Amino acid sequence: MQATTKLALEPYYEAKFEPNSYGFRPAMGCKDALSKIANLLLQKQKWVLDADIKDCFDNIDHEFLAGQIDAEAKVFARENFCLCNIGNL
């Protein structure tokens, strides 16, 4: 179920993500982030943010999270995939 949900919503949200977000994204990883940081430091950038949300998704209220999926994403998922038990689709 989790994999199906990921497949359904990933294309929708991937298009909305910032290009400088590297965590857990298709075709983007640690080496890409480190390369970007190195290039920015050469350009005299002042800030680098590293955030670790370890165990965040193990402890999050999944009903609340499902309720936060916006209507546009629900329509996208409904039109492109056969999903069941994802909130009130």
Side-chain angles (χ1 to χ4, degrees):
M1 185 62 172
Q2 185 176 2
T4 302
T5 303
K6 176 187 177 287
L7 287 173
L9 297 177
E10 186 174 68
Y12 173 80
Y13 281 106
E14 185 64 27
K16 293 182 170 228
F17 284 148
E18 293 289 326
N20 57 349
S21 173
Y22 293 91
F24 302 101
R25 291 183 62 193
M28 297 181 90
C30 291
K31 289 182 181 180
D32 299 307
L34 291 172
S35 176
K36 181 71 170 186
I37 290 168
N39 289 332
L40 290 174
L41 288 175
L42 291 173
Q43 297 173 14
K44 306 288 185 201
Q45 291 291 320
K46 297 179 182 180
W47 300 98
V48 174
L49 173 64
D50 179 26
D52 185 1
I53 56 171
K54 182 179 181 233
D55 298 328
C56 172
F57 295 104
D58 293 337
N59 299 304
I60 198 165
D61 181 344
H62 292 112
E63 286 185 33
F64 174 80
L65 184 61
Q68 300 306 305
I69 298 173
D70 60 29
E72 189 178 343
K74 288 180 182 179
V75 170
F76 177 88
R78 186 182 306 119
E79 290 175 352
N80 293 285
F81 298 91
C82 176
L83 295 176
C84 306
N85 280 332
I86 306 296
N88 291 322
L89 292 177

